[in-house]
Amino acid sequence: MKAYQKVLCGLGAVFGILVILSWIETAVDTGQEIKQIREEEPRKEASSAPEEEAVFTPEQYRDFLQDELDAEVDYIAEDKIFTVYTDDPELAEEIAAIYVGVLEPGPWNRFVETFVQTSNQTKDLLGESGYALFLCNPVDRDRYILGAMDGVLLYDYITGYNVDEEETM
């Protein structure tokens, strides 16, 4: 199995688990809402929508990502950033091959989609938006190669996409 496929499988597993947890949380919330409506007086107007309850604390989510991705994950609380570090040499080689055009970008594009979906689920599981996920370059840990927040792609090294450059155009 190629390195990006292993990481993609890990992200796929994370995304699947996040979807299941989100579904369970929604089912529980719906059950609680029904019980609450039954207990309220019929004439009482419904208050504003309930806030999302967090399934994980950020530190628990960091540990969860670390276990599922089999990679080092750091969390910077003041910036609400999760950074994934992998030192897989195969991933580095495959990213370079895609970047220079030796390999087709199809698997990378699927990886990016899964990464963005995972960032979208992050806000649901942590109960608020504004958490960013970044994947660092396996060769140079000081550089990001992929970033997403709340289901929005921020940066993609392979395609050269940078949300900051898009906003200035």
Side-chain angles (χ1 to χ4, degrees), residues 2-3 14-15 17 34 36 46 50 69 77 81 84 97 100 104 113-114 116 120 129 136 139 155 166:
K2 296 186 179 203
V14 168
F15 180 68
I17 291 168
I34 291 169
Q36 182 180 12
L69 297 176
I81 294 175
V84 179
V100 297
E104 291 295 317
E113 288 172 16
T114 303
V116 170
N120 195 41
S129 61
C136 282
V139 177
Y155 180 72
E166 292 293 315

Side-chain angles (χ1 to χ4, degrees), residues 95 98-101 104-110 112-113 116 144-147 153-163 165-166:
I95 289 171
I98 291 169
Y99 186 74
V100 297
E104 291 295 317
W108 175 258
N109 293 337
R110 285 188 296 281
V112 171
E113 288 172 16
V116 170
Y144 297 126
I145 58 172
L146 191 58
L153 181 64
L154 301 176
Y155 180 72
D156 181 350
Y157 171 77
I158 298 294
T159 65
Y161 178 79
N162 186 334
V163 71
E165 292 173 4
E166 292 293 315

Side-chain angles (χ1 to χ4, degrees), residues 19-167:
V19 168
I20 290 168
L21 287 173
S22 178
W23 178 81
I24 290 169
E25 177 184 329
T26 301
V28 169
D29 286 346
T30 303
Q32 289 172 347
E33 288 173 10
I34 291 169
K35 183 179 178 184
Q36 182 180 12
I37 289 170
R38 287 180 183 159
E39 292 173 355
E40 290 179 356
E41 295 176 12
R43 292 171 287 176
K44 190 175 183 180
E45 288 186 23
S47 62
S48 62
E51 289 185 30
E52 285 284 325
E53 283 193 39
V55 175
F56 292 116
T57 65
E59 292 75 16
Q60 290 170 326
Y61 187 64
R62 178 203 57 219
D63 295 343
F64 171 75
L65 287 173
Q66 198 159 279
D67 291 342
E68 291 300 316
L69 297 176
D70 194 28
E72 179 185 341
V73 179
D74 285 341
Y75 172 62
I76 303 170
E78 52 275 359
D79 296 325
K80 295 169 69 173
I81 294 175
F82 292 94
T83 305
V84 179
Y85 300 96
T86 180
D87 57 358
D88 188 337
E90 288 179 32
L91 179 63
E93 290 172 10
E94 290 168 11
I95 289 171
I98 291 169
Y99 186 74
V100 297
V102 174
L103 291 177
E104 291 295 317
W108 175 258
N109 293 337
R110 285 188 296 281
F111 177 79
V112 171
E113 288 172 16
T114 303
F115 194 84
V116 170
Q117 290 171 347
T118 301
S119 79
N120 195 41
Q121 289 293 321
T122 299
K123 71 178 178 179
D124 297 336
L125 292 172
L126 295 177
E128 64 179 314
S129 61
Y131 289 92
L133 292 176
F134 284 95
L135 176 65
C136 282
N137 186 331
V139 177
D140 183 356
R141 293 172 61 113
D142 293 332
R143 299 191 184 275
Y144 297 126
I145 58 172
L146 191 58
M149 181 173 65
D150 298 336
V152 176
L153 181 64
L154 301 176
Y155 180 72
D156 181 350
Y157 171 77
I158 298 294
T159 65
Y161 178 79
N162 186 334
V163 71
D164 292 335
E165 292 173 4
E166 292 293 315
E167 291 175 357

